[in-house]
Amino acid sequence: MFDTTKIDSFKKRIMITGGAGFIGSHCCRYFVNKYPDYLIVNFDALTYAGNLGNLRDIETKDNYCFVLGDIRKSEEVSRIFERYKITDVIHLAAESHVDRSIKNPNVFVETNVLGTLNLLNVAKEFWKEDYSKHRFHHVSTDEVYGSLSENEHPFKETNKYMPHSPYSASKASSDHFVRAFHDTYGLNVTISNCSNNYGPNQFPEKLIPLVINNILNSKEIPVYGNGLNIRDWLYVEDHTSAIDLIFHEGINGETYNVGGHNEKTNLDIINDLIDLTLEVNKKTLKNVILKPRINFIQDRLGHDKRYAIDNTKIKALGWKPANSYKKNLEKTVRWYFKNQKWLEDVTNKEYQNYYKTMYKNGE
Ligand code: NAD
Ligand code: TYD
């Protein structure tokens, strides 16, 4: 149990919502290690996507604590603001998977829209003496801008919002609420709209970890449509360094698009993963891995063709990605090889049921 008598010794007490998820856990780790004078309060409901196993290396640090809580419940958020004298929020908690949003949109509104509104209301109340001293950073997605055709210019911050999936519609709505609280009440906010992330600890419902998991288990790789949809892939630690920069240096009320100019078709990514996995396997574990088979399946409903980010604005703030795509993808594959126990734990019965429902025959 965290000793709350020490609370006043911290320069900032930041609530990171969704800190047990993929990006949230990297964000907690980054802030805990870089800022020993900040207290990081990880507020997470531990849904299927939340996993405290992502945070083992920082769980005993003096400037970190975990609180089980649901952003859909205002009173829980309020209680934690009061108990930890929260000075700032970095908001990542969300339902984050497009396919799930197509099957069940309601929970996306409850968590992503109403949950964000709850956080904003509590922040507005607690910080009312002087909003300028407290920052609310909202982590969002490039999917709010809709879909690009092949030759269109990448998304700028000034692009119109044109979300297509229930997921992106819910994130777009949450972005609007964050801006409305800035424009109406003067809350000190920043928003980041980032492209597709990859890296360790990503739940294997998303393309990259799903493909790695299937290769390791000699299962077919399911590709929606013709596999030529394009995403702009960014390594998760580059996203957290961007969040850090925007949180500290971003201008109140502004939005920053985050992406590393790394556009790939889904087939490009899958072929790179097959090559890397076979190579890493040969060098390390020497498991029996069959040459993976790609299975083209029915396309996702409303499948966005292409996402790409114009990162001029965040680069002007001083951000750039640290390493190359090839290095980072190899690092990611190696991590999943080394952490097959992590994969086994998260691909439990609930995941098997999910997989069967989403991919019909479970293959
Ligand atoms: P994730 O699904 O891996 O993790 C989400 C976390 O939020 C989990 O720990 C979950 O337990 C928690 N959570 C869900 N509902 C909650 C609730 N009601 N109360 C408290 N906690 C709750 O998601 P991720 O991929 O790490 O994405 C994090 C954020 O970044 C999301 O807001 C997402 O929209 C955004 N984002 C993701 C990507 C990406 O490629 N994954 C890209 C851009 C932006
Ligand atoms: P995903 O990782 O779900 O991210 P998003 O939909 O938010 O971009 O999917 C990335 C791309 O991969 C997207 O074009 C859909 C495609 N995809 C498949 O072809 N097969 C799959 O099994 C999954 C999960 C995704």
Side-chain angles (χ1 to χ4, degrees):
M1 188 80 177
F2 183 79
D3 175 7
T4 47
T5 58
K6 292 188 299 186
I7 271 176
D8 290 320
S9 65
F10 290 101
K11 200 166 139 200
K12 290 182 192 289
R13 294 167 295 271
I14 307 175
M15 175 187 273
I16 296 190
T17 69
F22 165 48
I23 303 168
S25 60
H26 286 273
C27 200
C28 285
R29 175 175 302 102
Y30 185 100
F31 273 76
V32 163
N33 289 332
K34 184 165 174 187
Y35 300 107
D37 52 348
Y38 292 178
L39 174 66
I40 300 304
V41 179
N42 174 4
F43 185 92
D44 195 298
L46 296 183
T47 67
Y48 77 93
N51 182 351
L52 291 178
N54 295 346
L55 296 149
R56 291 284 172 245
D57 56 323
I58 58 162
E59 66 188 4
T60 57
K61 297 257 180 169
D62 290 341
N63 64 334
Y64 170 79
C65 65
F66 172 74
V67 177
L68 181 65
D70 191 331
I71 59 168
R72 291 172 297 182
K73 296 182 180 149
S74 276
E75 60 296 349
E76 289 185 6
V77 177
S78 241
R79 193 163 38 82
I80 300 308
F81 257 67
E82 198 159 352
R83 183 176 163 84
Y84 291 92
K85 299 183 182 171
I86 296 296
T87 57
D88 303 83
V89 168
I90 300 178
H91 174 36
L92 296 106
E95 288 294 332
S96 68
H97 191 39
V98 173
D99 293 327
R100 288 185 195 254
S101 82
I102 294 168
K103 280 256 184 286
N104 176 21
N106 290 39
V107 67
F108 283 72
V109 174
E110 288 156 17
T111 295
N112 299 1
V113 186
L114 296 176
T116 301
L117 180 59
N118 285 337
L119 281 170
L120 288 165
N121 275 326
V122 172
K124 171 175 162 273
E125 179 57 28
F126 271 75
W127 300 339
K128 65 184 170 201
E129 302 228 318
D130 187 352
Y131 289 139
S132 71
K133 292 193 176 133
H134 307 280
R135 172 140 285 181
F136 189 107
H137 178 70
H138 177 57
V139 177
S140 191
T141 166
D142 60 353
E143 303 189 25
V144 298
Y145 298 118
S147 180
L148 295 165
S149 61
E150 216 157 297
N151 299 316
E152 243 175 307
H153 187 84
F155 300 131
K156 287 184 169 187
E157 290 78 1
T158 48
N159 271 46
K160 262 198 190 149
Y161 273 35
M162 294 181 73
H164 297 298
S165 72
Y167 163 66
S168 54
S170 69
K171 292 296 290 187
S173 173
S174 67
D175 293 10
H176 291 320
F177 271 104
V178 173
R179 273 191 209 102
F181 268 64
H182 169 263
D183 297 350
T184 309
Y185 308 112
L187 217 65
N188 174 354
V189 309
T190 42
I191 298 178
S192 48
N193 293 86
C194 188
S195 59
N196 286 62
N197 283 211
Y198 67 99
N201 304 101
Q202 187 169 28
F203 192 78
E205 63 188 352
K206 307 278 168 45
L207 182 70
I208 289 182
L210 185 143
V211 169
I212 298 172
N213 184 51
N214 282 17
I215 298 176
L216 287 173
N217 290 292
S218 302
K219 282 168 88 171
E220 286 179 351
I221 299 170
V223 177
Y224 299 152
N226 59 10
L228 297 180
N229 300 64
I230 292 169
R231 301 290 183 262
D232 190 349
W233 295 93
L234 185 74
Y235 191 58
V236 61
E237 288 175 4
D238 292 322
H239 187 181
T240 53
S241 72
I243 292 172
D244 175 23
L245 185 66
I246 300 165
F247 175 77
H248 287 100
E249 308 290 336
I251 296 170
N252 183 6
E254 295 276 312
T255 289
Y256 298 84
N257 286 354
V258 184
H261 284 307
N262 184 44
E263 290 184 52
K264 305 271 172 210
T265 67
N266 294 337
L267 281 179
D268 284 341
I269 289 277
I270 289 165
N271 286 323
D272 287 347
L273 285 171
I274 292 174
D275 292 348
L276 273 171
T277 310
L278 294 177
E279 194 184 305
V280 171
N281 185 54
K282 217 188 305 168
K283 280 193 206 147
T284 55
L285 291 179
K286 298 201 167 58
N287 281 359
V288 181
I289 293 183
L290 306 175
K291 174 93 180 144
R293 211 174 77 81
I294 290 177
N295 187 15
F296 290 91
I297 60 173
Q298 194 184 356
D299 208 354
R300 176 187 274 174
L301 298 176
H303 198 173
D304 284 337
K305 173 76 186 140
R306 173 178 166 237
Y307 304 140
I309 291 281
D310 179 334
N311 63 9
T312 312
K313 186 169 173 183
I314 177 103
K315 271 173 94 181
L317 206 60
W319 176 84
K320 67 171 184 337
N323 275 315
S324 71
Y325 157 76
K326 276 270 163 203
K327 259 199 184 144
N328 287 329
L329 200 68
E330 180 172 344
K331 207 162 143 189
T332 303
V333 169
R334 284 186 184 282
W335 187 87
Y336 283 97
F337 260 79
K338 261 210 196 129
N339 292 276
Q340 291 191 41
K341 174 79 176 68
W342 182 94
L343 261 181
E344 276 164 29
D345 289 346
V346 300
T347 51
N348 51 20
K349 202 163 167 219
E350 195 187 335
Y351 178 82
Q352 303 301 336
N353 289 338
Y354 163 84
Y355 200 89
K356 273 189 201 132
T357 314
M358 288 292 178
Y359 299 93
K360 300 289 185 287
N361 59 1
E363 286 308 314

